[in-house]
Amino acid sequence: MKKLSFLLVLILGLGLVLAACGGGDDKDSKDNGKEDNAGDNATSEEASDFSVAMVTDIGGVDDKSFNQSAWEGIKAFGEANGLSKGNGFDYAQSNDKSEYVPNLTRLVRDEYSLIFGIGFELKEDLQTIADQYSDTNFAIVDDVVEAPNAASITFKEHEGSFLVGVAAALKTKTNKLGFVGGMDSPLINKFEAGFIAGAKSINPDIEIDVKYAEHFGDATKGKTIAATMYDSGIDIIYHAAGGTGNGVFNQAKDIKQNDPEREIWVIGVDRDQHEEGQIGDHNVTLTSMIKRVDVAVQDVSTMALNGEFPAGEQLEFGIEDNGIGFATTNKEAMTEEIINTVNEWQEKILNGEIEVPSTRDELKEFEAAL
Amino acid sequence: MTSNNRIFSLVVPVISVILGLIVGAIIMAVSGHNPMEAYAALWRGAFGDSFTIGETVRRITPLILTGLAIAFAFRTGLFNIGAEGQVIVGWLAAVWVGLVIDAPMIIHLPLAVLAGAIAGGLWGFIPGILKAKLGVHEVIVTIMMNYIAMFVTNEIIRSVLTDHKTTTDKIAGSASLGSEWLQSITFYSRMHYGILIALFAAIIMWFIIQRTTLGYELKAVGFNRHASKYAGMSVSKSIILSMVIAGGFAGLAGAMEGLGTYGSISVMSGFTNLGFDGIAVALLGANNPFGVVIAAILFGVLKEGAGEMPTGAGVPTELVDIIIAIIIFFVASSYIIRWALLRMKKEGK
């Protein structure tokens, strides 16, 4: 009995503390957030009732990869329309899977007009929420939801991966390539299939080692896998592993620092990862498979603003929409010759001459036809 | 002395929570955010309306069970770091039963819940028997068992339960803990009946520890292994049983997630953290079942409420993490404070 009363007092005490904190005056601080956009308000009256927000996946908004890219897209859209963070656009960060639903619901209740879910992990939760709140528009990146108020944004990552695969096959000296994936999932398999198809189109005998880290944020693991691959004679690694890929860059840079003569490369993903590869005067980033999540997010937001939200539709961004591409920032490594060849293959994809495989089964057929 | 101790165990956690909140407030004030507004947002995020209350309860449910899992093993002097893995296998087993078996609810639901508990218990049995028979330290084994659980589960989801997908189908309605009634009163939150199971589990732990011979033996082994052996108790049996029951609690936590919150299981790219948070919950709850319930409520409220701080009060997510960590730090160090003060008392005698 005494125990029980102890617990009761504990709850009451905690409640009291929190309540006391909650009751304070919050009038002055409320204004803080609004100050910076006060000037813009006049110019953007037509947009004032439109607002857009996104929920990140576990990677977080500064993952140097696609969450960040999506957020850049929303920021660019907001700034072009005179909105500011917290007043017109915002994001909610998820630290674990269970936070997707509360985050999505929170944004619905803050009355955002359009809410993006970034990443395939949000698929189920976004589907549920979209069914519950039919008055709000939703969009998911990297997967498909079926709801009359939701749009699905996917990319033809296999096409971009094909192009960097071509570049890798042209650049390699050892004829051994590596692929490091985040999670063994249908999405990342698209990268894998495209990359292998691209490399084998140039040289059918090329060896490609495929490893999955089972994690999108474990740089240590990325480094270990990269170390094993480079030790076995692989000279180019393509990573599709988000934060885990940072470990691949670290390992490549370490090797390069100890042995500047050795030619090893990393191929980046999602954004142009040129900066990640800089070590002294060298840069180990050969190229990057660029996936313009920002372009897609911005496009869809603009459509929604103009009242043309593609509700219930599935949008697939590819090379032709500028949604997918490859980076040519590293001029020394990506020679004129390589770029020209890659461009030739890009033409072949665009005019339908080749169909890039997007699953392991399609890849088998593709390889058999070579 | 006894009443002194009770006041003690009451005052220390309250003080540590208040200290945590104050230090958090100072950090926010220094970095130019209004702590009042931030804590108001925290409060709103946890208790603002029926939806957030439902979500808070949902978050508390597995924390109670993992807290119990660690507290129970600790009573026998075992440090069960493996609650995380036990949660994962329990989750998998419960969902598996929920997907594959076709039975009326009165059989299906208890069977699925039981499957979760048994799987968790099995995951506790392995480190238990290694400890009891070979003296292998349970901390090492349970940590490794966490990884085994996660990667094996991922592979089973991919190649057995689905055809290379990342999430299984929804479990049959007859195995679900969710209820439309609870959803309708909490505005579509994911609150489910699992909270009743969690509270019941706390009562069960109290009953085993305080009212049975088994519980007496487990405690005795925890106090002094050699004395218990001398008194004719089977130490290895106690260790194994303790780990199995602890694993069963953690497995139940997984079943709550699988049958209640999600209704499915997805490939995990990292640990759920339920098991690790359970360690802090058990410490704060002083390894007492009812203390664990209160500590789980506190943790659930903090974690759920914190989600509102970035959007509601403009506090950056990183700062929210720091504040939560500081509160947990003070809360966890209450254990140290209590221990230190008790030491001083004993020496003073």
Side-chain angles (χ1 to χ4, degrees):
Chain A
M1 209 50 224
K2 271 182 187 164
K3 278 265 159 70
L4 267 181
S5 55
F6 142 54
L7 302 172
L8 211 68
V9 176
L10 187 66
I11 303 176
L12 285 177
L14 175 70
L16 217 71
V17 172
L18 289 172
C21 294
D25 62 322
D26 42 350
K27 54 180 186 293
D28 50 333
S29 60
K30 269 272 159 64
D31 300 331
N32 283 347
K34 288 175 186 164
E35 251 169 22
D36 47 348
N37 72 302
D40 305 335
N41 267 350
T43 57
S44 61
E45 265 165 37
E46 81 279 7
S48 59
D49 55 342
F50 183 82
S51 54
V52 54
M54 62 175 252
V55 176
T56 73
D57 72 359
I58 304 171
V61 79
D62 49 0
D63 62 351
K64 295 183 179 161
S65 186
F66 85 134
N67 281 302
Q68 187 168 344
S69 186
W71 177 234
E72 280 164 5
I74 285 186
K75 272 201 292 198
F77 167 79
E79 275 151 22
N81 290 288
L83 306 171
S84 72
K85 180 175 184 294
N87 190 26
F89 66 92
D90 207 345
Y91 71 91
Q93 184 146 316
S94 314
N95 292 323
D96 64 64
K97 268 178 109 79
S98 68
E99 285 175 12
Y100 296 152
V101 165
N103 277 341
L104 288 166
T105 314
R106 189 170 293 128
L107 295 175
V108 170
R109 303 177 132 212
D110 291 345
E111 296 183 338
Y112 281 95
S113 327
L114 171 61
I115 298 167
F116 285 93
I118 312 298
F120 69 91
E121 287 203 1
L122 278 85
K123 176 187 168 139
E124 284 77 23
D125 291 334
L126 195 103
Q127 178 80 57
T128 321
I129 301 280
D131 293 341
Q132 285 166 357
Y133 300 96
S134 52
D135 294 338
T136 306
N137 284 333
F138 296 90
I140 186 155
V141 174
D142 269 2
D143 213 321
V144 179
V145 293
E146 278 156 24
N149 55 330
S152 310
I153 301 168
T154 52
F155 292 85
K156 295 178 185 164
E157 292 95 347
H158 47 295
E159 294 184 354
S161 303
F162 185 92
L163 298 180
V164 297
V166 169
L170 293 168
K171 190 77 190 169
T172 180
K173 297 234 167 89
T174 58
N175 279 331
K176 279 182 178 174
L177 305 177
F179 174 84
V180 178
M183 295 285 278
D184 193 353
S185 60
L187 176 70
I188 304 301
N189 293 163
K190 269 164 98 177
F191 292 77
E192 177 196 327
F195 181 68
I196 297 176
K200 295 217 166 162
S201 302
I202 297 296
N203 175 5
D205 298 324
I206 208 160
E207 273 180 54
I208 299 157
D209 188 12
V210 175
K211 286 261 159 56
Y212 281 87
E214 292 294 281
H215 207 294
F216 282 110
D218 191 345
T220 322
K221 202 153 185 189
K223 196 169 157 74
T224 319
I225 296 175
T228 322
M229 283 185 169
Y230 285 130
D231 283 350
S232 71
I234 286 169
D235 60 351
I236 303 176
I237 298 178
Y238 174 40
H239 89 86
T244 304
N246 294 339
V248 177
F249 278 103
N250 283 340
Q251 180 61 24
K253 285 192 281 187
D254 280 359
I255 295 177
K256 195 79 185 171
Q257 189 151 34
N258 295 332
D259 181 8
E261 295 306 309
R262 193 163 166 203
E263 290 198 32
I264 49 163
W265 307 100
V266 184
I267 298 176
V269 80
D270 293 348
R271 297 165 79 241
D272 181 1
Q273 296 193 303
H274 188 72
E275 281 171 34
E276 315 301 318
Q278 195 69 41
I279 167 107
D281 298 333
H282 296 282
N283 194 310
V284 295
T285 309
L286 174 64
T287 174
S288 299
M289 199 288 283
I290 300 176
K291 174 171 157 185
R292 300 297 301 268
V293 182
D294 53 339
V295 170
V297 165
Q298 224 172 323
D299 277 5
V300 171
S301 303
T302 311
M303 286 186 221
L305 177 65
N306 299 334
E308 295 157 358
F309 180 68
E313 286 179 36
Q314 188 186 338
L315 309 171
E316 196 179 27
F317 289 79
I319 297 171
E320 64 273 20
D321 320 285
N322 288 325
I324 289 287
F326 64 100
T328 54
T329 332
N330 195 344
K331 292 271 186 295
E332 278 171 46
M334 284 290 271
T335 57
E336 200 80 354
E337 207 180 323
I338 297 179
I339 294 176
N340 288 339
T341 319
V342 175
N343 279 334
E344 278 167 28
W345 286 94
Q346 183 165 320
E347 276 308 306
K348 286 187 193 170
I349 296 173
L350 281 176
N351 62 30
E353 209 175 300
I354 45 169
E355 189 73 36
V356 180
S358 62
T359 63
R360 283 177 184 160
D361 290 340
E362 285 174 28
L363 176 65
K364 268 181 206 146
E365 287 170 32
F366 185 89
E367 283 176 303
L370 277 174
Chain B
M1 181 66 205
T2 327
S3 67
N4 248 354
N5 258 345
R6 286 195 193 281
I7 294 171
F8 209 54
S9 50
L10 169 87
V11 169
V12 172
V14 174
I15 290 178
S16 49
V17 170
I18 294 172
L19 270 178
L21 289 172
I22 291 172
V23 174
I26 293 171
I27 290 180
M28 277 189 278
V30 167
S31 58
H33 301 279
N34 185 337
M36 293 300 169
E37 203 192 332
Y39 285 137
L42 179 83
W43 180 259
R44 272 201 315 279
F47 301 110
D49 55 29
S50 55
F51 172 82
T52 54
I53 293 173
E55 277 293 317
T56 306
V57 171
R58 195 267 314 154
R59 194 184 277 267
I60 290 166
T61 307
L63 282 177
I64 294 178
L65 288 161
T66 51
L68 291 177
I70 282 129
F72 194 91
F74 203 79
R75 280 299 179 93
T76 320
L78 299 166
F79 211 42
N80 180 17
I81 309 286
E84 189 64 50
Q86 293 147 11
V87 166
I88 295 173
V89 295
W91 187 339
L92 175 73
V95 169
W96 204 331
V97 170
L99 283 171
V100 173
I101 290 176
D102 189 23
M105 190 164 196
I106 194 147
I107 302 167
H108 199 181
L109 179 56
L111 201 66
V113 172
L114 209 62
I118 291 171
L122 188 72
W123 225 249
F125 173 76
I126 299 170
I129 197 159
L130 286 173
K131 167 89 176 176
K133 301 294 178 199
L134 299 170
V136 186
H137 204 286
E138 76 278 4
V139 169
I140 310 290
V141 180
T142 49
I143 289 175
M144 294 306 143
M145 294 292 284
N146 289 343
Y147 287 99
I148 299 173
M150 183 167 88
F151 292 121
V152 168
T153 300
N154 280 356
E155 194 48 42
I156 290 178
I157 295 168
R158 267 196 286 260
S159 21
V160 182
L161 291 177
T162 69
D163 183 20
H164 206 73
K165 288 200 201 120
T166 47
T167 306
T168 64
D169 296 332
K170 287 268 176 209
I171 52 165
S174 53
S176 173
L177 279 167
S179 101
E180 290 195 354
W181 177 69
L182 280 178
Q183 284 191 350
S184 68
I185 59 166
T186 60
F187 209 77
Y188 291 128
S189 84
R190 289 173 294 172
M191 184 180 170
H192 53 82
Y193 285 122
I195 185 73
L196 301 176
I197 297 180
L199 292 174
F200 186 63
I203 296 171
I204 292 197
M205 168 167 167
W206 170 81
F207 185 80
I208 295 178
I209 292 286
Q210 303 295 351
R211 290 283 180 274
T212 63
T213 323
L214 169 70
Y216 183 81
E217 289 189 5
L218 293 181
K219 274 191 294 180
V221 171
F223 280 128
N224 191 328
R225 195 161 296 168
H226 306 290
S228 315
K229 198 175 178 190
Y230 190 69
M233 298 173 191
S234 168
V235 173
S236 53
K237 185 189 126 201
S238 294
I239 287 174
I240 295 171
L241 259 179
S242 176
M243 281 305 286
V244 168
I245 295 172
F249 282 135
L252 274 180
M256 297 302 105
E257 295 293 86
L259 304 176
T261 307
Y262 294 98
S264 62
I265 183 165
S266 305
V267 169
M268 291 169 211
S269 63
F271 289 124
T272 62
N273 276 333
L274 287 172
F276 300 131
D277 287 343
I279 298 174
V281 167
L283 285 180
L284 175 65
N287 298 315
N288 171 302
F290 302 112
V292 163
V293 172
I294 300 299
I297 291 172
L298 175 66
F299 259 69
V301 167
L302 282 177
K303 289 222 154 185
E304 191 63 38
E308 179 73 19
M309 287 165 80
T311 49
V315 181
T317 322
E318 290 81 2
L319 204 53
V320 173
D321 288 342
I322 293 175
I323 292 158
I324 294 298
I326 285 173
I327 294 174
I328 293 172
F329 172 80
F330 276 99
V331 158
S333 51
S334 79
Y335 178 76
I336 302 167
I337 297 168
R338 185 185 299 130
W339 177 81
L341 285 174
L342 278 177
R343 259 290 154 87
M344 271 158 58
K345 252 186 193 171
K346 267 181 195 162
E347 277 171 14
K349 259 185 188 172

